[in-house]
Amino acid sequence: MSRRALTLIVAGFLTLTLAVGGAMLPVPYVVLSPGPTENTLGDIKGKPVINVQGRETFATTGTLSLVTVAYQGGPGNRIGLLTALRGWFDSTIAVVPEETIFPREQSVKEVEEQNTAEMAGSQDTATAAALNQLKVSIEDVVKVSSVDKGTPADGKLLPGDMIVAVDGTPTADPDSVVTAVQKHKPGDKIVFTVDGRSAKTDVPVVAAAAKDGKAVVGVRMGMSYKFPFKVDFSVGDVGGPSAGLMFSLGIYDKLTPGPLTGGKAIAGTGTMKPDGEVGPIGGIEQKMVGARKAGATIFLTPEQNCAAAVGAVPDGLRLVKVQTLDGAIKALDALRTGSGAVPACS
């Protein structure tokens, strides 16, 4: 073999090696793709996605599916350059900078915990919106969102506890709980009256000292709601607040006679406020693809997401613009009966 031929072979081998190595090189991007859909009127592993106890429910048909976005990559599990390049050429996939999903000031665990907390919050808010729509009275309460490990409240106050009083004085909001705690000195016993367990319970906690010397127990709180009956959710490994609209519609459908869907396969997305306002979400393109793959023909789209959705809607999927829960219900009524206006994204 001539020296020139040998040189070309070696150079080609090195080029190929570098190309393969470059393709495997981790890059700080995340691939977003269509995730699973779940019918809020159905079951997951034998458990109802929405389970109402203590109130009459009605049989229904069709689907009201929440949609999700799956991700690949992130700190500690970065994708290779080749995976990112493939994503850039696939219209159903988005490749975004890592910090879009995982802010630099947060760990992966913290992001996942935040998503879990947002999902739990969206379920409470969706329930409140549905019951407000049905004119069912609900009560605002202070709810424990998390308890710091190693603090006095650890193992005593629990996430989901509703703090209805401190030392016998009713609580109006989280600030009132903080004020009641800080009336004490470190080492004092503070009695929290909590609801949301099998029965209303008094829980004594001995306060510790914060860095500023004030009394602290190590509990984080937010405003939530006390409902006149129980609504449980089973959604598997899904996080974030974007299923709020579909949760509210699922609850409303179960609590009202007749199928809201008219038997149609409907999917949608949108955050939900207690007053019924629907808010925008991320990943609309991937969510539409997931909905269509699951058989949906109608997609409830937050008004603020319409512009992006119109340019990427899959064939066979009709976009219905929604601004409020009431508006979504009226649009579904119009679709079912064939009469009335159905707002469209344009």
Side-chain angles (χ1 to χ4, degrees), residues 48-50 66 115-131 143 224-225 227 231-236 238-248 251 271-272 274:
V49 174
I50 298 173
L66 62 88
N115 287 339
T116 299
E118 288 178 343
M119 168 58 79
S122 75
Q123 292 167 354
D124 280 350
T125 304
T127 303
L131 299 196
K143 192 172 185 178
S224 188
Y225 317 94
F227 304 118
V231 181
D232 289 325
F233 298 83
S234 178
V235 293
V238 176
S242 64
L245 170 63
M246 303 315 290
F247 283 144
S248 290
I251 295 166
T271 62
M272 179 59 67

Side-chain angles (χ1 to χ4, degrees), residues 37-123:
T37 65
E38 300 293 352
N39 178 20
T40 61
L41 303 177
D43 297 347
I44 296 180
K45 296 181 179 179
K47 292 184 178 180
V49 174
I50 298 173
N51 185 28
V52 179
Q53 302 176 51
R55 182 88 170 192
E56 183 182 9
T57 58
F58 301 88
T60 188
T61 60
T63 59
L64 286 169
S65 296
L66 62 88
V67 287
T68 65
V69 175
Y71 74 86
Q72 182 183 0
N77 189 32
R78 283 182 169 171
I79 58 173
L81 177 59
L82 183 59
T83 300
L85 289 172
R86 286 175 178 168
W88 276 314
F89 288 101
D90 187 337
S91 62
T92 69
I93 288 175
V95 181
V96 299
E98 190 174 78
E99 58 267 24
T100 304
I101 309 299
F102 300 98
R104 292 180 181 178
E105 66 274 12
Q106 288 182 288
S107 67
V108 173
K109 183 179 179 182
E110 288 172 335
V111 171
E112 291 174 345
E113 288 175 347
Q114 178 179 321
N115 287 339
T116 299
E118 288 178 343
M119 168 58 79
S122 75
Q123 292 167 354

Side-chain angles (χ1 to χ4, degrees), residues 166-338:
V166 178
D167 296 325
T169 301
T171 54
D173 52 40
D175 287 343
S176 68
V177 176
V178 172
T179 299
V181 168
Q182 292 184 347
K183 286 180 179 178
H184 290 269
K185 296 179 181 178
D188 287 354
K189 181 175 72 173
I190 306 172
V191 179
F192 295 84
T193 303
V194 300
D195 207 348
R197 304 184 185 184
S198 57
K200 192 175 288 187
T201 307
D202 286 337
V203 180
V205 179
V206 176
K211 290 181 180 180
D212 60 4
K214 294 181 179 179
V216 66
V217 296
V219 64
R220 301 175 189 271
M221 303 162 289
M223 289 303 295
S224 188
Y225 317 94
K226 184 177 181 180
F227 304 118
F229 49 87
K230 196 170 184 180
V231 181
D232 289 325
F233 298 83
S234 178
V235 293
D237 188 20
V238 176
S242 64
L245 170 63
M246 303 315 290
F247 283 144
S248 290
L249 289 171
I251 295 166
Y252 182 91
D253 198 6
K254 284 175 174 277
L255 294 177
T256 54
L260 184 61
T261 67
K264 293 180 172 66
I266 295 166
T269 187
T271 62
M272 179 59 67
K273 291 185 178 180
D275 64 1
E277 180 184 343
V278 176
I281 52 81
I284 188 71
E285 295 89 347
Q286 289 72 46
K287 289 177 178 179
M288 290 190 299
V289 171
R292 189 69 189 105
K293 284 183 177 179
T297 56
I298 295 164
F299 193 82
L300 304 179
T301 311
E303 181 184 32
Q304 298 94 321
N305 292 116
C306 273
V310 166
V313 60
D315 290 341
L317 193 65
R318 178 179 179 180
L319 301 184
V320 175
K321 180 175 67 177
V322 293
Q323 297 172 281
T324 64
L325 175 60
D326 184 65
I329 291 169
K330 288 177 178 175
L332 292 177
D333 286 342
L335 287 166
R336 186 182 66 255
T337 62

